[in-house]
Amino acid sequence: MQHDRKQVAVWDVFVRLFHWCLVVAVAVSFYTTKTDGIPFLFPIEVHAQAGYLIISLLIFRIIWGVLGTTYARFSTFVYGPRDTAVYTKALFKRRAPRYASHNPLGGWMVVLLLLSLSFQAVSGLFLSDDIFFQGPLYGLLGRDISGELASLHALNSDVLLILIGLHLVGVVVHALQGENLVAAMVTGIKRFTSEPVDIKQTHRTKHHLFALGAFLVAAGICGWLWFYPY
C-alpha cells in the first residue's frame, strides 16, 4: 500500500544558492592545491579568489543563520548534547525520527564544516608564498605567526576533506533510507510519509530585505578582498 507523502518546504532559495556556490568555490580551491593542475589556468590567484568568495559566502550564511527563514536559522537545527545523544542512540537502533531540517547529528556537521571552512579561508588572508601571492593581512601578526598559520592551514585542509567525506557518507545513508537530500537542496522540498518531528510554521516577513542586506555586506567584503593589490 502506497502512503501519501507529505511535502515540506525546508530550504529557501538563498540557502540553496549558498550551498551550491560553496560547493563550486571549495572544489576550485582544493583543485588548485591538491592536484598539479594547469598552472596557466589555475594560478595561486585563483585559489586566493576562491577563498575570498568562500569568506563572503560564509558571512552571508552566518547572517542568514540568524535573520533568515525558519529552517535556515541555526536555532532550528543546532541541538544540545542531550538531544544529540538521544538521536544518536535511536539512530544506532534504526529508530531515528525524521527531521524536516537537519537532524541533531547533521546540524553539528554543518557547524563543524562552517567552522573548518571559516578557519581555512580566514587563515589564508595572513599567508604568503613569497613569490606570487601575499594575503591582504599578511604581516599583520608577524612572520612567525603567519608561518604557524600556514602549517595549520595545510593541516585543516585535510580535516576539511574528512568532514566533507563524512558529509557525503551521511547523504548516501539518507538516500538509502529514502530521503533524497540532493534533490531537496535543489528544489527546497523534502517529502515524508509521516510528519517530521521538527515541523515548524515558517515566517517570511521582511526576509527578502534581510537577504539583500546580508548579500550587500558579503559582496562588499568580497569586493575589497578580490581587488586588494597583493
Side-chain angles (χ1 to χ4, degrees), residues 26 30 34 109 111-120 151-168:
V26 170
F30 270 114
K34 296 298 182 180
M109 175 56 70
V111 171
L112 289 175
L113 280 167
L114 292 179
L115 288 174
S116 182
L117 281 167
S118 296
F119 176 81
Q120 194 69 6
S151 298
L152 293 173
H153 189 82
L155 176 63
N156 187 61
S157 67
D158 294 330
V159 172
L160 188 54
L161 279 175
I162 293 172
L163 292 175
I164 292 172
L166 291 173
H167 173 62
L168 294 176

Side-chain angles (χ1 to χ4, degrees), residues 1-224:
M1 180 177 179
Q2 187 174 3
H3 298 281
D4 294 332
R5 296 181 70 84
K6 180 180 180 64
Q7 295 189 10
V8 180
V10 181
W11 292 311
D12 61 64
V13 64
F14 304 111
V15 170
R16 285 176 276 148
L17 284 174
F18 159 81
H19 179 272
W20 295 116
C21 287
L22 188 65
V23 168
V24 173
V26 170
V28 170
S29 181
F30 270 114
Y31 179 82
T32 56
T33 58
K34 296 298 182 180
T35 68
D36 293 334
I38 306 174
F40 295 107
L41 294 181
F42 291 98
I44 187 63
E45 289 88 348
V46 175
H47 178 78
Q49 289 165 355
Y52 300 156
L53 179 58
I54 290 171
I55 290 175
S56 302
L57 289 168
L58 292 173
I59 290 172
F60 174 85
R61 186 62 183 94
I62 291 170
I63 296 174
W64 199 236
V66 177
L67 301 177
T69 51
T70 302
Y71 291 108
R73 297 178 188 175
F74 300 125
S75 59
T76 299
F77 61 82
V78 177
Y79 295 84
R82 180 185 177 88
D83 291 330
T84 304
V86 169
Y87 176 82
T88 303
K89 184 177 180 180
L91 182 65
F92 280 111
K93 292 182 177 180
R94 297 185 178 181
R95 298 177 182 174
R98 294 295 179 88
Y99 285 74
S101 186
H102 301 289
N103 61 54
L105 287 179
W108 281 109
M109 175 56 70
V110 170
V111 171
L112 289 175
L113 280 167
L114 292 179
L115 288 174
S116 182
L117 281 167
S118 296
F119 176 81
Q120 194 69 6
V122 173
S123 64
L125 301 177
F126 297 89
L127 305 185
S128 171
D129 66 356
D130 296 323
I131 303 175
F132 298 110
F133 171 75
Q134 181 172 300
L137 302 182
Y138 177 72
L140 186 63
L141 301 178
R143 293 181 63 89
D144 290 341
I145 294 180
S146 291
E148 291 295 329
L149 285 175
S151 298
L152 293 173
H153 189 82
L155 176 63
N156 187 61
S157 67
D158 294 330
V159 172
L160 188 54
L161 279 175
I162 293 172
L163 292 175
I164 292 172
L166 291 173
H167 173 62
L168 294 176
V169 168
V171 170
V172 172
V173 170
H174 279 280
L176 293 175
Q177 295 176 349
E179 188 174 355
N180 192 334
L181 294 180
V182 175
M185 191 53 74
V186 172
T187 65
I189 303 295
K190 278 189 174 184
R191 294 173 173 82
F192 302 90
T193 55
S194 60
E195 189 165 295
V197 298
D198 63 336
I199 190 74
K200 298 180 185 295
Q201 181 68 37
T202 58
H203 302 285
R204 298 181 181 273
T205 306
K206 297 182 179 179
H207 282 152
H208 285 82
L209 183 61
F210 291 149
L212 177 61
F215 172 78
L216 291 175
V217 171
I221 293 174
C222 183
W224 178 77

